Amino acid sequence: MARLPGTDGDGDIAARICERRGGSLRPLDRMLLHSPQLADGWNSLLGAIRQRITLPADVRELVILRIAVLNRADYEWASHEGDARAAGLGDAQLDAVRDEHAGVHPALDERLRRVIDYTDAMTRHVHVPAPVFDALRDHFTPAELVELTATAAAYSMVSRFLVALEVELPAGSTTGS
């Protein structure tokens, strides 16, 4: 059970969140709406990452799921597993994301292993060693590298918020953030 009760919010901010979500609020939104201005900024940032960047969807979802594993954010995993599958990640790849040694897992191609290494460095240590960053250069444009970094940073924020406030999905629910 969440540490604070959720709220529906009201007005334009709640309406914008509902619109991005396809008509309904998620438990994460109900927590954020305690601070409408924060919820509005969050919605804008996450909306851009989810819907308006050029980073391939499989990479975006791999990053989100890896952060969910590293930060023990079950809500985040449940919210994004379906999106990851829709983006083309299969059972073997999802199992690899859960593996402590995902960066060398044979189910992931070189590009995805390098993304795992980068996500792990950002999430566990904040500092990313030059060789880890440089290994991405052959796989991504400068814009995609910025988007990859922003995705990892944003979903680290999401997971930490969810875990700290013990926000949970209702049983049987699977919805993206």
Side-chain angles (χ1 to χ4, degrees):
M1 176 167 233
R3 291 185 163 166
L4 298 172
T7 182
D8 288 337
D10 56 13
D12 292 342
I13 293 170
R16 280 194 295 276
I17 295 169
C18 277
E19 181 180 342
R20 181 174 77 84
R21 297 289 200 183
S24 62
L25 296 173
R26 309 298 194 274
L28 170 61
D29 306 322
R30 293 178 192 288
M31 192 64 62
L32 286 163
L33 281 165
H34 283 289
S35 174
Q37 295 307 316
L38 175 63
D40 197 29
W42 188 290
N43 186 54
S44 181
L45 172 63
L46 275 291
I49 288 172
R50 299 277 302 147
Q51 299 163 344
R52 297 191 302 272
I53 64 175
T54 62
L55 187 69
D58 65 329
V59 173
R60 180 191 67 230
E61 296 304 323
L62 180 91
V63 167
I64 294 167
L65 292 180
R66 183 61 177 177
I67 290 167
V69 168
L70 295 174
N71 290 342
R72 295 183 211 99
D74 296 337
Y75 178 114
E76 200 164 38
W77 183 280
S79 293
H80 287 272
E81 183 178 354
D83 294 332
R85 289 182 185 283
L89 298 174
D91 289 338
Q93 292 163 318
L94 295 180
D95 288 344
V97 171
R98 290 183 180 103
D99 191 318
E100 175 66 23
H101 304 290
V104 297
H105 201 287
L108 301 174
D109 63 26
E110 180 185 351
R111 174 183 70 124
L112 295 180
R113 287 192 306 268
R114 300 298 69 88
V115 168
I116 289 285
D117 290 344
Y118 189 63
T119 302
D120 285 6
M122 283 187 65
T123 306
R124 290 179 167 157
H125 310 292
V126 182
H127 179 265
V128 176
V132 171
F133 183 84
D134 291 342
L136 294 169
R137 291 182 188 272
D138 290 340
H139 303 283
F140 299 98
T141 67
E144 289 171 330
L145 289 170
V146 167
E147 293 169 355
L148 171 61
T149 304
T151 299
Y155 277 91
S156 286
M157 174 185 72
V158 172
S159 68
R160 291 161 195 255
F161 183 89
L162 292 166
V163 171
L165 292 176
E166 298 180 354
V167 179
E168 298 177 355
L169 281 170
S173 181
T174 57
T175 57
S177 57

